[in-house]
Amino acid sequence: MELLEMITNIMTKNGLVMSFLVVGGVMALANLLGKATKGRIAGSAIAIVFGLILALIGGLVTGGEKGLSDVAMFSGLAVMGGGMLRDFSIVSTAFGASLEEIKKAGLPGVLALLIGVVLAFIIGAIFAFAFGYTSAADMATIGAGAVTFIVGPVTGAAVGASSEVVAISIAIGVLKSIVVMIATPMLAKPLGLNNPKSAMIFGGLMGTTSGVAAGLAATDERLVPYGAMTATFYTGTGCLLCPSILYLVLTMFF
Amino acid sequence: MVIYGLALLSGCFFGGMLLGDILGMVTGVGSNVGGVGFAMLALILISSKLLKENKLSTKAQDGILFWSAMYIPIVVAMTACQDVAAAIMGGGVLTIICGIVCTIVPLLLIPVISKLGAPSEPLPPLNKD
């Protein structure tokens, strides 16, 4: 029993370093399974699904909001997978990316960004209405949640939505990023997601940085910098449009 | 030295974040707008110039490439920290349907918008070990 306590202690005290061990183990297992499918499913895609399953288990066991990292001995995962190191490594992937390819996607990229935000907002607002949330504030908040789980609460606070509606908007945003992670590698081929330009359009349309980054990583790692570059403008665009123009348009009808 | 590459990366990161924060303030959004995107652009521009002039040693490049290689493990750690339980149990039917439709519909637009502008060649096939 004392040995078990010592192990837990070491893992809790040295969280970040221990997270390398945990993730390394998960990656090794995922790559083994990937090889077993004869490379039909990429090891990184399996690793990401493992991550989601671990997050679900962690969330169910602790009742917390941060997946497996709410378990004390796995708390280092929150540092390794937190915003700082995630953004730092996303930026590093730009090393070696081609400027010519980025220029090619300039205008379509911007267009994808605007369409992506407005389309998600409209779909979210329609579903909100269909499920009985008929006030402009509620519809705007749930629509904004369909943009990303950050835009949802930002909009909810701006238009004065109830905390229940804000919670729904966050849940929709989180689910969207998870669906993007899983659906992207499966749909990559039929959608022609195999070149830098379509990756930038994909990033602009979907927007959820975590979903886009993980989805592209599981499809072809070399596409990550292109998708991530447009995706990082998405949340900002959403925060700009949702509580202002898009909300005002809704108030005209509801 | 490895740290030079890291310092360059961090410098680009800082510059991009600052620009993103300023843009967020100017537009009244109150959050960072495209900070990571600006940082990536800065890294591309500066590193390609340094590489052309042969001023970025292999060691310095290794410092940057280490973090690119850490990218997928970091994403795995990130997914393990998502609130998956709440996303599945939380908002019920509305959440699940909306989350799925909001993903699938925009995905279908990728081939449409890809037709605009100059075409881009598919990346060559990857030989994975």
Side-chain angles (χ1 to χ4, degrees):
Chain A
M1 237 11 234
E2 225 167 283
L3 185 69
L4 207 69
E5 215 169 276
M6 277 161 80
I7 293 171
T8 322
N9 248 333
I10 294 172
M11 297 210 39
T12 312
K13 269 191 191 158
N14 305 288
L16 177 61
V17 175
M18 288 307 125
S19 69
F20 299 150
L21 183 66
V22 174
V23 175
V26 171
M27 296 287 300
L29 190 65
N31 278 326
L32 256 171
L33 278 175
K35 276 207 183 110
T37 66
K38 296 205 172 80
R40 225 166 295 152
I41 307 173
S44 42
I46 299 173
I48 286 162
V49 173
F50 277 169
L52 292 172
I53 295 170
L54 290 174
L56 176 64
I57 296 170
L60 291 177
V61 170
T62 63
E65 292 169 356
K66 287 187 190 135
L68 192 62
S69 66
D70 278 329
V71 181
M73 63 187 290
F74 296 118
S75 57
L77 286 171
V79 183
M80 183 177 171
M84 180 174 71
L85 288 184
R86 185 199 64 196
D87 289 347
F88 192 59
S89 76
I90 286 181
V91 172
S92 77
T93 62
F95 184 68
S98 147
L99 202 60
E100 278 66 46
E101 291 291 351
I102 293 163
K103 280 184 193 152
K104 273 183 199 166
L107 186 66
V110 173
L111 201 63
L113 207 55
L114 290 175
I115 294 175
V117 170
V118 175
L119 190 63
F121 185 87
I122 292 174
I123 296 172
I126 290 173
F127 274 108
F129 186 79
F131 278 81
Y133 297 94
T134 51
S135 78
D138 286 356
M139 287 171 68
T141 305
I142 292 174
V147 175
T148 72
F149 54 83
I150 296 170
V151 185
V154 167
T155 305
V159 302
S162 70
S163 70
E164 176 211 345
V165 172
V166 171
I168 293 173
S169 80
I170 296 173
I172 290 173
V174 172
L175 193 75
K176 178 182 172 186
S177 76
I178 294 168
V179 176
V180 173
M181 288 178 201
I182 297 170
T184 307
M186 293 196 287
L187 295 172
K189 247 195 200 137
L191 295 173
L193 198 57
N194 59 4
N195 60 72
K197 187 178 153 194
S198 62
M200 285 186 75
I201 291 167
F202 166 73
L205 279 173
M206 306 315 303
T208 140
T209 312
S210 44
V212 165
L216 284 179
T219 309
D220 183 343
E221 303 169 23
R222 294 168 300 169
L223 295 175
V224 169
Y226 302 103
M229 193 169 311
T230 38
T232 58
F233 287 94
Y234 187 89
T235 294
T237 311
C239 289
L240 193 64
L241 295 180
C242 291
S244 56
I245 305 172
L246 294 175
Y247 171 64
L248 287 177
V249 171
L250 277 181
T251 54
M252 282 184 230
F253 297 99
F254 300 95
Chain B
M1 281 172 82
V2 169
I3 189 69
Y4 293 156
L6 272 173
L8 171 65
L9 183 55
S10 303
C12 292
F13 186 87
F14 174 78
M17 286 296 166
L18 187 65
L19 203 60
D21 273 349
I22 292 173
L23 194 62
M25 196 182 69
V26 171
T27 52
V29 173
S31 73
N32 191 290
V33 178
V36 174
F38 290 128
M40 293 170 93
L41 271 178
L43 182 65
I44 292 173
L45 291 173
I46 297 172
S47 68
S48 62
K49 192 170 184 311
L50 288 175
L51 281 172
K52 234 180 243 167
E53 294 168 6
N54 241 339
K55 278 185 184 153
L56 207 59
S57 68
T58 321
K59 285 257 185 207
Q61 293 182 38
D62 287 346
I64 304 173
L65 290 173
F66 171 78
W67 284 101
S68 311
M70 279 300 285
Y71 177 70
I72 290 177
I74 284 175
V75 165
V76 171
M78 176 192 77
T79 53
C81 301
Q82 302 292 315
D83 197 355
V84 179
I88 294 176
M89 322 290 171
V93 190
L94 168 62
T95 312
I96 292 168
I97 298 179
C98 194
I100 293 172
V101 174
C102 285
T103 311
I104 302 300
V105 173
L107 271 178
L108 299 177
L109 285 176
I110 296 177
V112 181
I113 301 180
S114 291
K115 289 212 174 73
L116 301 170
S120 169
E121 291 299 314
L123 293 171
L126 202 59
N127 290 322
K128 272 200 177 165
D129 54 307

